[in-house]
Amino acid sequence: MSASPSDLPKHDLLIDGQRVPPGTGAYTTDINPATETPLALVAQGSEADVDTAVRAARAALKGWAGMRAADRARILNRFADLLETHAEELVTLESQDAGKPLAAVRRQDVPAVIDTVRYYAGWCDKIHGSVIPARPDALTYTVREPVGVVGAIVPWNFPLMIGMWKIAPALACGCTLIVKPAEITPLSALRVAELALQAGVPPGVFNVVTGKGSVVGNAIVAHRGIDKVTFTGSPGVGRGIMQGAAANFKRVTLELGGKSANVIFADANIDAATRAAASGIFFNAGQVCSAGSRILAQRQVYDEVVERLAARARAIRVGDPAAPDTTMGPLVSAAQMKTVLDYVDIGNKEGASAVTGGKRIGERGFFVEPTVFANVEHEMRISQEEIFGPVASVIPFDDDADAVRIANGTAFSLAAGVWSADIARVHKVAGELRAGTVWINTYGYTDVRLPWGGAGDSGLGREHGDAAIENFTEPKAIWLSLR
């Protein structure tokens, strides 16, 4: 029996170190996508709430940016310690809110969150400039200063992990934050912000305003008190953010969509390639920006790749995210499930062949069968448009040039994979692929130490590593006359 609204926990905004109700008094019901049952009531922030958060972040900026870098590092390391202590709580929260299998969150998401915080804690006292001998009668040097107040707009597919990709480097650089989690997965951001306060992050430095993108997100983009917006999400929303940010020349970093090609040559280890290809498209129910949704197989092995991939799809255990043997949970929402099933219909109408899957599982929860399409032509919509679900399109190719042509033939350029036993071939093809990350004889790994991002409909700029330090700082040149 579902809980009544009065029985549900109520989550207010977190502004200036305090939980505060939304100015409008409005709340929405957060739903568990596996059961369709209510989890909590979550505050619906407004433009006025964003303004309050910006004023708190602006007031806290001088103290946080002016703190000794080593002290900021100590606070971030305490933050990582607390995340580690509360890891299982965060695993459960993320699983319930986003429908992610417990085992996957425990294995990947939460360890990556902790690693990200520790990595950027190490950067705090290493953000430096340089002396540039421009002329003998002056001391000329550069410093890097915090960009200021940052608006971080976080997606629903990896709320904890991608959220921390933005939060940790911004804090390390001395910035203050207004974080807007996705409306349908807000719970982990609120809990993480509470742990940051407990670790010693001062009030006002890390604020969370929940609510609709069309309200809270737009207010963040438009607010003149926010110096930078970092966003992960769809290309359509990303374009809107760029247009809005242009009004006051706000800096932006955008990590957007993907339609990544996983290229399998005939001389590859086909078993290893199809195993990784299945993981590359079905992990997190295909709700991954770098999902290998286009599997390009050389004609000599095309039928074998389709057969092996379909067998792996049928073997995936789809079900309750809390069950230890579940390897794929539900899609995040009813709307996303409809989008995916609509694309299955499109693929069938275009003439592709659904070898396996393509249907909803059960009548409760947003579960969709892992789906493999064969006989896919490069120009089909299921080959060109991001589905963001467990739908693989297997496309034949003839030779190296044909593979590169097809792989590069979309508006996206986030990631790609190449499988071959020929070392010269994989290096050559990797160099010709238009992608921010290319995996060779593997697929899908990420690490906070390596740059992450793409171009075109895949975004603008890079996250991770030292690229994130550049995202959240501004260089300043200083000229001291010696005459």
Side-chain angles (χ1 to χ4, degrees):
M1 188 174 184
S2 298
S4 68
S6 60
D7 296 330
L8 294 173
K10 182 182 282 190
H11 292 279
D12 288 325
L13 312 174
L14 198 155
I15 298 176
D16 205 13
Q18 301 291 327
R19 286 296 193 111
V20 296
T24 62
Y27 292 80
T28 189
T29 304
D30 191 40
I31 299 294
N32 182 327
T35 62
E36 300 186 50
T37 55
L39 281 173
L41 297 176
V42 180
Q44 289 289 288
S46 66
E47 184 176 345
D49 294 317
V50 171
D51 184 64
T52 301
V54 172
R55 283 189 278 111
R58 184 62 60 185
L61 179 61
K62 184 176 181 181
W64 182 245
M67 183 183 291
R68 288 182 66 244
D71 292 336
R72 274 204 311 274
R74 276 191 283 274
I75 290 171
L76 288 182
N77 275 312
R78 284 200 298 270
F79 183 28
D81 292 342
L82 285 169
L83 292 169
E84 208 159 43
T85 299
H86 292 268
E88 198 58 29
E89 175 193 350
L90 294 171
V91 166
T92 301
L93 196 64
E94 193 82 335
S95 175
Q96 291 176 344
D97 206 16
K100 301 160 78 74
L102 282 172
V105 184
R106 192 177 289 124
R107 181 182 68 251
Q108 173 172 319
D109 301 47
V110 170
V113 165
I114 296 164
D115 182 46
T116 298
V117 177
R118 293 204 189 282
Y119 173 74
Y120 283 109
W123 263 104
C124 289
D125 58 1
K126 300 170 187 67
I127 302 170
H128 53 73
S130 57
V131 175
I132 301 169
R135 52 191 293 167
D137 61 351
L139 172 62
T140 49
Y141 62 98
T142 65
V143 295
R144 281 200 167 270
E145 297 180 339
V147 72
V149 177
V150 173
I153 303 175
V154 179
W156 47 255
N157 58 334
F158 291 94
L160 263 174
M161 189 173 75
I162 295 180
M164 199 55 70
W165 290 359
K166 304 174 187 306
I167 295 162
L171 293 178
C173 290
C175 299
T176 56
L177 287 151
I178 294 92
V179 176
K180 189 216 124 18
E183 184 184 2
I184 55 176
T185 55
L187 301 183
S188 58
L190 289 163
R191 183 65 181 123
V192 161
E194 289 178 333
L195 294 176
L197 283 166
Q198 191 177 331
V201 173
V205 170
F206 183 175
N207 308 278
V208 181
V209 181
T210 54
K212 295 179 181 294
S214 59
V215 177
V216 176
N218 286 356
I220 286 172
V221 173
H223 203 294
R224 290 188 173 275
I226 292 179
D227 302 292
K228 177 186 172 64
V229 172
T230 171
F231 168 77
T232 298
S234 71
V237 176
R239 288 187 185 93
I241 287 173
M242 283 195 74
Q243 290 167 356
N248 50 26
F249 300 105
K250 198 184 309 294
R251 287 180 58 182
V252 296
T253 301
L254 305 173
E255 201 269 280
L256 307 176
K259 195 68 182 174
S260 300
N262 206 350
V263 182
I264 303 174
F265 285 95
D267 64 347
N269 180 329
I270 303 301
D271 181 63
T274 51
R275 183 170 63 249
S279 175
I281 180 56
F282 299 129
F283 175 68
N284 203 42
Q287 300 169 127
V288 183
C289 54
S290 58
S293 52
R294 294 185 300 146
I295 297 159
L296 278 55
Q298 201 161 19
R299 290 190 189 275
Q300 299 94 305
V301 293
Y302 182 83
D303 290 341
E304 182 183 358
V305 168
V306 170
E307 181 182 338
R308 284 177 177 265
L309 193 63
R312 290 193 175 278
R314 295 185 193 106
I316 290 172
R317 293 182 179 272
V318 183
D320 179 6
D325 60 346
T326 293
T327 51
M328 194 176 103
L331 295 168
V332 76
S333 66
Q336 188 61 23
M337 179 177 69
K338 182 181 185 304
T339 295
V340 171
L341 293 175
D342 285 349
Y343 269 109
V344 171
D345 288 341
I346 289 166
N348 286 322
K349 289 174 182 174
E350 286 182 313
S353 306
V355 179
T356 189
K359 297 182 179 64
R360 181 180 183 179
I361 301 173
E363 296 181 354
R364 192 167 187 81
F366 310 126
F367 298 93
V368 172
E369 294 173 333
T371 304
V372 176
F373 274 106
N375 303 318
V376 178
E377 296 178 7
H378 171 55
E379 296 78 12
M380 290 179 176
R381 286 181 63 188
I382 60 169
S383 173
Q384 290 292 319
E385 298 175 14
E386 187 175 39
I387 298 172
F388 226 62
V391 181
S393 296
V394 190
I395 305 167
F397 70 89
D398 294 314
D399 54 22
D400 297 28
D402 196 32
V404 170
R405 176 187 67 83
I406 295 170
N408 287 345
T410 76
F412 301 96
S413 64
L414 184 59
V418 185
W419 295 81
S420 172
D422 185 333
I423 192 69
R425 166 186 273 164
V426 293
H427 275 286
K428 179 175 181 293
V429 171
E432 292 174 345
L433 291 173
R434 190 167 58 91
T437 295
V438 179
W439 294 287
I440 296 175
N441 293 333
T442 188
Y443 196 89
Y445 289 99
T446 60
D447 193 290
V448 71
R449 294 153 190 82
L450 296 170
W452 181 255
D457 280 15
S458 289
L460 179 70
R462 293 293 185 271
E463 295 187 299
H464 293 181
D466 58 359
I469 302 302
E470 295 184 8
N471 287 342
F472 296 108
T473 57
E474 292 278 16
K476 175 185 282 186
I478 296 176
W479 186 300
L480 171 64
S481 174
L482 299 177
R483 288 187 295 179

